[in-house]
Amino acid sequence: LDNLALRKATAESASLSRVVTYNVPAAIAYIDADRRYQYVNRAFLDWGYGSEGEVIGRLVEEVLGAEFYATIASYVEQVLEGEEVRYEVDRAHGDGVQRFVQASYVPDRDDEGRVRGFFALLSDITSLKTAEQRAAESESRYRTLVAQANDAIAVADRATGELLEVNERMLELTGRRADELVGKSQVVLHPPEDMHVYRQIFEQQSG
C-alpha cells in the first residue's frame, strides 16, 4: 500500500510539474543531442512555430529557419559541449513579431556524464529593453538641453549638496573647469564672502 501511494504521489507530482512547465509565461524547450526538439511548452508555440506535432522531432534549424539559426548556432554548440550558455538576441519569430529574447541553455547529462541534450529557457524582455531605450533617449535629450542651454545650470545632490553636473555656460560664468566644480559643495558657486551664508541655508534645507 505504501509503495502504491508513493508511486501515485510521484505520478501526481510529475503531472503537476508538466502542467506548470507547459503553462509558464516563459518559452521552454528541450532539444536532444541531434538538435531536434523533444519538448516545447505553450509559450514557445505561441511565438508562431506551429503546433506541438509540427515542432517535436524537427531540427532546431528547420523550426527557426536557417537565418535565425545561424545567429544562435554557436550557443547550441557550446551547450552540447557541456557549457551553460546565456545570451540575448533581437529577432523576428515565427509569428513575425520582433522580440528581444534572453536565453538560457542548460546541458542535460546522462548517468555517465555525457550530454544528451539541453533545456532552453527563453524570456521575452522586449518591454524591458524598450523601457531602457526610452530612458537612454530621455537622458540623452536632457543632457543635450543642459549642454546647449543659454542659462548657467548646475545639478547638485539634494542630500549632500555635492555638484554632480555643470554646463558650459556655468563654466564660462564662474571661470572654472568642470573638474574644479563637480564633486565639490554647491557653495563654491557663490562668492567666497557669501559661502558661509549659503552653507547655512543648505544645511537648514537638508536637515
Side-chain angles (χ1 to χ4, degrees):
L1 181 60
D2 289 342
N3 287 338
L4 179 61
L6 179 59
R7 287 198 298 272
K8 182 179 179 182
T10 301
E12 290 176 350
S13 177
S15 177
L16 177 60
S17 178
R18 285 193 294 272
V19 170
V20 171
T21 302
Y22 188 76
N23 289 287
V24 294
I28 297 175
Y30 180 84
I31 296 98
D32 66 20
D34 293 326
R35 299 164 184 77
R36 294 183 182 275
Y37 286 102
Q38 298 301 329
Y39 173 82
V40 291
N41 71 344
R42 178 180 296 171
F44 182 94
L45 298 175
D46 286 345
W47 288 0
Y49 292 110
S51 66
E52 188 172 359
E54 292 172 322
V55 173
I56 300 303
R58 293 179 64 197
L59 293 169
V60 176
E61 184 175 1
E62 293 176 343
V63 174
L64 299 184
E67 184 180 351
F68 192 163
Y69 183 74
T71 65
I72 66 168
S74 61
Y75 304 121
V76 173
E77 296 307 314
Q78 280 182 258
V79 71
L80 289 177
E81 289 174 2
E83 299 179 41
E84 288 193 21
V85 178
R86 289 181 176 81
Y87 66 91
E88 294 179 355
V89 62
D90 185 16
R91 295 285 302 187
H93 290 260
D95 54 5
V97 176
Q98 192 82 11
R99 293 184 178 86
F100 210 114
V101 172
Q102 184 179 69
S104 297
Y105 292 169
V106 179
D108 177 35
R109 302 177 185 273
D110 61 21
D111 293 338
E112 297 180 359
R114 292 173 299 201
V115 177
R116 58 189 176 187
F118 66 96
F119 299 95
L121 175 65
L122 313 168
S123 301
D124 184 352
I125 58 171
T126 305
S127 58
L128 174 61
K129 288 296 181 180
T130 300
E132 289 178 350
Q133 182 179 355
R134 288 175 179 170
E137 291 172 351
S138 177
E139 175 71 10
S140 177
R141 287 194 297 270
Y142 159 76
R143 292 194 175 279
T144 299
L145 288 172
V146 170
Q148 297 178 351
N150 292 323
D151 295 324
I153 298 176
V155 180
D157 186 296
R158 183 174 181 179
T160 66
E162 180 181 301
L163 290 170
L164 304 176
E165 183 180 355
V166 292
N167 69 348
E168 286 297 323
R169 187 70 184 92
M170 178 62 76
L171 298 179
E172 293 172 3
L173 184 66
T174 60
R176 298 188 182 186
R177 301 188 310 271
D179 61 0
E180 294 177 314
L181 295 178
V182 175
K184 306 296 191 301
S185 171
Q186 61 182 342
V187 299
V188 301
L189 297 176
H190 303 284
E193 62 272 18
D194 296 332
M195 282 186 182
H196 68 286
V197 175
Y198 286 98
R199 182 175 284 109
Q200 289 176 350
I201 293 174
F202 170 72
E203 290 175 351
Q204 291 172 357
Q205 291 176 341
S206 60

